[in-house]
Amino acid sequence: EIVMTQSPATLSVSPGERATLSCRASQSVSSSLAWYQQKPGQAPRLLIYGASTRATGIPARFSGSGSGTEFALTISSLQSEDFAVYYCQQYKNWPPWTFGQGTKVEIK
Amino acid sequence: QVQLVESGGGVVQPGRSLRLSCAASGFTFSTYGMHWVRQAPGKGLEWVAVISHDGTYEAYADSVKGRFTISRDNSKNTVFLQMNSLRAEDTAVYYCAKELKQLVDYWGQGTLVTVSS
Protein backbone atom coordinates (compact mmCIF):
# COMPACT_ATOMS: atom_id res chain seq x y z
CA GLU A 1 0.00 0.00 0.00
CA ILE A 2 1.27 3.45 -0.90
CA VAL A 3 1.31 5.83 2.06
CA MET A 4 0.67 9.50 1.34
CA THR A 5 2.05 12.08 3.77
CA GLN A 6 1.01 15.73 3.70
CA SER A 7 2.71 18.70 5.33
CA PRO A 8 2.13 20.86 7.18
CA ALA A 9 -0.96 19.70 9.06
CA THR A 10 -2.11 23.31 9.36
CA LEU A 11 -1.04 26.33 7.32
CA SER A 12 -1.90 29.84 8.55
CA VAL A 13 -2.01 32.33 5.69
CA SER A 14 -3.29 35.87 5.23
CA PRO A 15 -5.73 36.62 2.40
CA GLY A 16 -3.84 37.56 -0.74
CA GLU A 17 -0.74 35.61 0.25
CA ARG A 18 0.67 32.54 -1.46
CA ALA A 19 0.24 29.08 0.04
CA THR A 20 2.23 25.97 -0.78
CA LEU A 21 1.10 22.54 0.42
CA SER A 22 3.25 19.42 0.16
CA CYS A 23 2.44 15.78 -0.44
CA ARG A 24 4.89 12.87 -0.41
CA ALA A 25 4.30 9.30 -1.58
CA SER A 26 6.05 6.30 -0.01
CA GLN A 27 6.90 5.06 -3.52
CA SER A 28 6.65 6.53 -6.98
CA VAL A 29 3.14 7.26 -8.26
CA SER A 30 4.44 8.88 -11.46
CA SER A 31 1.94 11.69 -12.17
CA SER A 32 -1.11 9.81 -10.86
CA LEU A 33 -1.78 12.33 -8.13
CA ALA A 34 -4.92 14.33 -7.41
CA TRP A 35 -5.72 17.19 -5.05
CA TYR A 36 -9.13 17.75 -3.47
CA GLN A 37 -10.58 20.66 -1.53
CA GLN A 38 -13.08 20.11 1.27
CA LYS A 39 -14.97 22.85 3.06
CA PRO A 40 -16.78 22.22 6.37
CA GLY A 41 -19.96 20.22 5.90
CA GLN A 42 -19.31 19.71 2.20
CA ALA A 43 -18.10 16.89 -0.01
CA PRO A 44 -14.58 17.01 -1.42
CA ARG A 45 -14.12 18.72 -4.79
CA LEU A 46 -11.53 17.73 -7.37
CA LEU A 47 -9.01 20.53 -7.98
CA ILE A 48 -6.04 18.96 -9.74
CA TYR A 49 -5.39 15.62 -11.46
CA GLY A 50 -2.38 14.21 -13.27
CA ALA A 51 -0.35 16.17 -10.69
CA SER A 52 -0.73 19.44 -12.58
CA THR A 53 -3.96 19.59 -14.63
CA ARG A 54 -6.72 21.78 -13.23
CA ALA A 55 -10.17 20.20 -13.18
CA THR A 56 -13.06 21.89 -14.95
CA GLY A 57 -13.95 25.26 -13.47
CA ILE A 58 -10.99 25.48 -11.11
CA PRO A 59 -9.43 28.97 -11.01
CA ALA A 60 -5.95 29.53 -12.38
CA ARG A 61 -4.65 30.54 -8.94
CA PHE A 62 -4.54 26.82 -8.11
CA SER A 63 -1.56 24.97 -9.56
CA GLY A 64 -0.04 21.57 -8.99
CA SER A 65 3.50 20.35 -9.55
CA GLY A 66 5.75 17.37 -9.01
CA SER A 67 6.09 13.76 -10.09
CA GLY A 68 7.33 10.51 -8.63
CA THR A 69 7.15 10.93 -4.87
CA GLU A 70 7.15 14.70 -4.25
CA PHE A 71 4.20 16.95 -5.07
CA ALA A 72 2.98 20.44 -4.28
CA LEU A 73 -0.24 22.39 -4.50
CA THR A 74 0.20 26.16 -4.74
CA ILE A 75 -2.53 28.74 -4.28
CA SER A 76 -1.04 31.93 -5.69
CA SER A 77 -3.20 34.50 -3.90
CA LEU A 78 -5.53 33.15 -1.24
CA GLN A 79 -9.15 34.21 -1.45
CA SER A 80 -11.62 33.91 1.43
CA GLU A 81 -13.30 30.91 -0.23
CA ASP A 82 -9.99 29.00 -0.35
CA PHE A 83 -9.76 28.44 3.39
CA ALA A 84 -10.47 24.72 3.62
CA VAL A 85 -8.85 21.31 4.04
CA TYR A 86 -6.85 19.94 1.11
CA TYR A 87 -6.17 16.26 0.47
CA CYS A 88 -3.83 14.58 -1.96
CA GLN A 89 -4.61 11.11 -3.35
CA GLN A 90 -2.67 8.64 -5.44
CA TYR A 91 -4.35 6.56 -8.13
CA LYS A 92 -1.29 4.83 -9.56
CA ASN A 93 -1.24 1.59 -7.56
CA TRP A 94 -4.63 0.33 -6.46
CA PRO A 95 -6.37 -1.03 -4.58
CA PRO A 96 -6.35 0.70 -2.26
CA TRP A 97 -6.66 4.27 -3.44
CA THR A 98 -4.90 6.21 -0.67
CA PHE A 99 -5.24 9.75 0.63
CA GLY A 100 -2.97 11.98 2.61
CA GLN A 101 -4.17 13.02 6.05
CA GLY A 102 -5.00 16.54 4.86
CA THR A 103 -3.68 20.07 5.27
CA LYS A 104 -5.95 22.68 6.80
CA VAL A 105 -5.47 26.16 5.36
CA GLU A 106 -6.67 28.69 7.92
CA ILE A 107 -6.83 32.45 8.11
CA LYS A 108 -3.83 34.03 9.80
CA GLN B 1 -24.57 18.03 -14.52
CA VAL B 2 -23.35 15.06 -12.48
CA GLN B 3 -25.45 14.36 -9.42
CA LEU B 4 -24.86 11.65 -6.82
CA VAL B 5 -27.39 11.35 -4.01
CA GLU B 6 -26.70 8.96 -1.14
CA SER B 7 -29.34 7.56 1.19
CA GLY B 8 -29.77 4.86 3.80
CA GLY B 9 -27.61 6.18 6.61
CA GLY B 10 -28.72 6.27 10.22
CA VAL B 11 -28.05 4.94 13.69
CA VAL B 12 -27.45 1.21 13.98
CA GLN B 13 -26.31 -1.06 16.80
CA PRO B 14 -22.94 -2.83 16.66
CA GLY B 15 -23.15 -6.13 14.82
CA ARG B 16 -26.19 -5.10 12.77
CA SER B 17 -26.45 -4.35 9.06
CA LEU B 18 -27.22 -1.33 6.90
CA ARG B 19 -27.55 -0.82 3.15
CA LEU B 20 -26.56 2.46 1.54
CA SER B 21 -27.76 3.57 -1.88
CA CYS B 22 -26.46 6.18 -4.28
CA ALA B 23 -28.64 7.43 -7.13
CA ALA B 24 -26.68 8.84 -10.06
CA SER B 25 -27.74 11.21 -12.82
CA GLY B 26 -26.23 13.56 -15.38
CA PHE B 27 -23.87 11.03 -16.95
CA THR B 28 -23.96 7.60 -18.60
CA PHE B 29 -23.84 5.58 -15.39
CA SER B 30 -23.20 2.21 -17.00
CA THR B 31 -19.85 3.33 -18.45
CA TYR B 32 -18.15 4.44 -15.22
CA GLY B 33 -16.71 2.74 -12.17
CA MET B 34 -18.06 3.86 -8.81
CA HIS B 35 -16.48 4.17 -5.39
CA TRP B 36 -17.47 4.52 -1.76
CA VAL B 37 -15.23 6.68 0.44
CA ARG B 38 -15.83 7.40 4.11
CA GLN B 39 -14.83 10.06 6.61
CA ALA B 40 -15.01 9.50 10.35
CA PRO B 41 -16.03 12.54 12.41
CA GLY B 42 -13.19 15.08 12.41
CA LYS B 43 -10.91 12.74 10.45
CA GLY B 44 -9.57 12.36 6.91
CA LEU B 45 -10.79 10.47 3.88
CA GLU B 46 -10.63 6.66 3.71
CA TRP B 47 -11.32 4.73 0.51
CA VAL B 48 -13.77 1.86 1.13
CA ALA B 49 -14.72 0.05 -2.07
CA VAL B 50 -14.89 0.22 -5.87
CA ILE B 51 -16.98 -1.51 -8.52
CA SER B 52 -16.28 -1.51 -12.24
CA HIS B 53 -18.73 -0.11 -14.77
CA ASP B 54 -20.22 -3.54 -15.50
CA GLY B 55 -19.95 -4.98 -12.00
CA THR B 56 -17.36 -7.60 -12.91
CA TYR B 57 -14.61 -6.16 -10.70
CA GLU B 58 -14.86 -5.23 -7.03
CA ALA B 59 -12.21 -4.29 -4.49
CA TYR B 60 -12.31 -3.39 -0.81
CA ALA B 61 -10.23 -1.77 1.88
CA ASP B 62 -8.78 -4.29 4.32
CA SER B 63 -10.77 -2.63 7.11
CA VAL B 64 -14.09 -3.67 5.53
CA LYS B 65 -13.18 -6.78 3.52
CA GLY B 66 -15.52 -9.67 4.27
CA ARG B 67 -18.10 -7.38 5.91
CA PHE B 68 -19.05 -4.89 3.18
CA THR B 69 -20.29 -5.61 -0.35
CA ILE B 70 -20.53 -3.12 -3.18
CA SER B 71 -22.98 -3.70 -6.02
CA ARG B 72 -24.75 -1.77 -8.74
CA ASP B 73 -27.93 -1.78 -10.82
CA ASN B 74 -27.22 -0.12 -14.15
CA SER B 75 -30.91 -0.22 -15.09
CA LYS B 76 -31.64 2.06 -12.13
CA ASN B 77 -28.40 4.13 -12.18
CA THR B 78 -27.76 3.15 -8.58
CA VAL B 79 -24.79 1.82 -6.61
CA PHE B 80 -25.15 0.14 -3.24
CA LEU B 81 -23.02 -0.61 -0.20
CA GLN B 82 -24.21 -3.48 1.97
CA MET B 83 -22.59 -3.17 5.38
CA ASN B 84 -22.74 -6.15 7.73
CA SER B 85 -21.28 -6.78 11.19
CA LEU B 86 -20.98 -3.06 11.79
CA ARG B 87 -18.51 -1.78 14.36
CA ALA B 88 -18.16 1.50 16.21
CA GLU B 89 -15.16 2.34 14.03
CA ASP B 90 -17.38 2.23 10.93
CA THR B 91 -19.07 5.43 12.13
CA ALA B 92 -18.53 7.97 9.35
CA VAL B 93 -20.02 9.98 6.55
CA TYR B 94 -20.10 7.69 3.53
CA TYR B 95 -19.61 9.32 0.15
CA CYS B 96 -20.47 7.81 -3.19
CA ALA B 97 -18.06 8.91 -5.93
CA LYS B 98 -17.75 8.58 -9.69
CA GLU B 99 -14.56 7.37 -11.28
CA LEU B 100 -12.84 8.65 -14.42
CA LYS B 101 -9.72 6.73 -15.53
CA GLN B 102 -8.94 5.46 -12.01
CA LEU B 103 -9.50 8.94 -10.60
CA VAL B 104 -12.45 10.05 -8.46
CA ASP B 105 -13.86 13.15 -10.13
CA TYR B 106 -17.31 13.73 -8.59
CA TRP B 107 -18.59 13.13 -5.09
CA GLY B 108 -22.05 12.98 -3.54
CA GLN B 109 -22.95 14.94 -0.42
CA GLY B 110 -22.66 11.90 1.80
CA THR B 111 -24.81 10.01 4.28
CA LEU B 112 -23.97 9.63 7.96
CA VAL B 113 -23.73 6.19 9.51
CA THR B 114 -23.52 6.02 13.30
CA VAL B 115 -22.79 2.68 14.94
CA SER B 116 -23.73 2.85 18.60
CA SER B 117 -25.60 0.89 21.21
Side-chain angles (χ1 to χ4, degrees):
Chain A
E1 172 177 329
I2 296 179
V3 177
M4 307 300 293
T5 303
Q6 292 185 240
S7 61
T10 303
L11 190 59
S12 298
V13 187
S14 299
E17 288 188 341
R18 179 187 190 94
T20 301
L21 291 64
S22 296
C23 175
R24 174 178 292 176
S26 60
Q27 63 189 76
S28 177
V29 299
S30 186
S31 294
S32 299
L33 190 285
W35 289 94
Y36 300 90
Q37 177 194 65
Q38 187 179 34
K39 297 179 182 179
Q42 296 187 17
R45 176 176 70 147
L46 177 65
L47 295 177
I48 300 286
Y49 64 93
S52 61
T53 303
R54 280 189 303 276
T56 303
I58 301 303
R61 65 180 181 273
F62 290 93
S63 63
S65 62
S67 66
T69 62
E70 300 285 341
F71 301 89
L73 173 69
T74 300
I75 312 171
S76 59
S77 176
L78 270 155
Q79 306 298 301
S80 57
E81 61 266 31
D82 300 336
F83 293 96
V85 179
Y86 294 83
Y87 294 95
C88 62
Q89 183 209 25
Q90 68 84 20
Y91 53 99
K92 176 65 174 177
N93 289 352
W94 46 265
W97 282 255
T98 49
F99 295 89
Q101 77 278 24
T103 291
K104 181 179 181 181
V105 177
E106 64 176 23
I107 300 175
K108 186 174 182 180
Chain B
Q1 72 280 20
V2 173
Q3 282 201 317
L4 300 168
V5 179
E6 302 92 339
S7 60
V11 180
V12 61
Q13 293 179 329
R16 304 297 291 264
S17 299
L18 207 59
R19 189 193 199 203
L20 305 183
S21 300
C22 170
S25 61
F27 63 103
T28 307
F29 180 75
S30 61
T31 62
Y32 291 94
M34 297 295 295
H35 295 250
W36 287 96
V37 179
R38 69 185 179 182
Q39 186 170 36
K43 302 297 184 182
L45 301 168
E46 180 189 16
W47 174 78
V48 173
V50 64
I51 188 167
S52 61
H53 68 97
D54 57 1
T56 58
Y57 174 81
E58 302 167 23
Y60 300 90
D62 286 346
S63 57
V64 307
K65 200 173 293 181
R67 301 188 298 122
F68 289 13
T69 302
I70 189 171
S71 61
R72 65 190 296 158
D73 184 340
N74 284 347
S75 68
K76 295 182 179 178
N77 289 358
T78 303
V79 61
F80 305 97
L81 187 67
Q82 177 67 43
M83 305 185 295
N84 298 332
S85 303
L86 282 161
R87 306 167 180 168
E89 55 265 36
D90 295 319
T91 294
V93 174
Y94 284 74
Y95 295 102
C96 160
K98 171 185 168 291
E99 180 181 299
L100 175 63
K101 298 180 181 178
Q102 291 81 52
L103 165 72
V104 169
D105 62 347
Y106 286 97
W107 303 65
Q109 284 304 303
T111 187
L112 176 62
V113 173
T114 302
V115 184
S116 174
S117 54

